[in-house]
Amino acid sequence: MRRKIVVGNWKMNNTIAESVELATAIAEKVGGDGVTCEVGIAPTFPALHEVGKVIEWSGIRLCAQNCHYENDGAFTGEVSTRMLAAAGCSYVIVGHSERRQYFGETSQIVNRKVQKALAEGLSVIMCVGETLDERERGVTDEVVATQVVEGLADVTDLTNLVIAYEPVWAIGTGKTATSQQAQDVHAMIRAKVAELYGQQAADHLRIQYGGSVKPSNAVELFGMPDIDGGLIGGASLKVDDFMGIVEAAG
């Protein structure tokens, strides 16, 4: 039985003080009895260390929103995986659609980041997803399968990897794929992973859904057989909304 995983991606929101306040409130709820799913939060880089201190006791995973594929060097504005590990991160999000769309990240760049993060001992959430144009042209499966194959090139062990399916047209728009639409793509991803790594690896791989997940639709989404939790954007910035989604995951 795959353990559900819910991760809040705070994106470029909140000062350090605001991040600590939000993380503290979430930790107080998650740290109690009754939460069985894995929970993570991904604040901005400046807030990682302080947030890590206030969630350490709660079991919440500290996650980074991005990384570079080199250990160090002349890469102004970048952060390496070894720096993230030293800051207490256990997960890093790689290949988010906003990184692909606004910063020109290709699947080849995503693959280098995946390999570097796994080698550093971090767990990876690798994001894949299609645009509205690709969805309307009927090439969703082709696009997402290609992102999976290219993103996992030369990766031999999926133990510390999670895939997040995020249809680009449903991120921050208020739109969401129907539960069945999401399930269909998740099932396709799992089948592609089985083709690449075998059925046992595919059965153990957790695949999250991201794209305007809310407490009102989380129960139905997470009830689908191949949806193993969510990568949550806007709703993760509000304690009650985020906890509603966490509770829907178990």
Side-chain angles (χ1 to χ4, degrees), residues 213-216 218 232 234-247:
V213 178
K214 303 177 286 290
S216 59
I232 315 302
S236 69
L237 297 172
K238 299 178 181 178
V239 176
D240 290 344
D241 285 353
F242 186 61
M243 287 309 304
I245 296 168
V246 168
E247 289 162 9

Side-chain angles (χ1 to χ4, degrees), residues 9 11-12 65-66 78 95-106 109-110 113 131 166-173:
N9 176 17
K11 306 188 181 183
M12 196 175 71
Q65 298 179 20
N66 184 36
E78 293 292 336
H96 192 279
S97 67
E98 291 159 2
R99 297 296 311 175
R100 296 177 191 256
Q101 179 180 358
Y102 300 129
F103 301 98
E105 288 193 7
T106 64
I109 291 173
V110 170
K113 293 184 176 187
T131 64
E166 295 198 315
V168 179
W169 49 271
I171 298 174
T173 62

Side-chain angles (χ1 to χ4, degrees), residues 48-49 62 79-90 120 122:
L48 281 172
H49 182 66
L62 184 64
V79 175
S80 72
T81 55
R82 72 188 191 97
M83 294 172 185
L84 297 177
C89 290
S90 53
E120 190 63 49
L122 294 171

Side-chain angles (χ1 to χ4, degrees), residues 11-17 19-20 43-52 65 79 84 87:
K11 306 188 181 183
M12 196 175 71
N13 292 291
N14 295 338
T15 63
I16 295 175
S19 296
V20 167
T44 59
F45 288 138
L48 281 172
H49 182 66
E50 293 301 316
V51 167
Q65 298 179 20
V79 175
L84 297 177

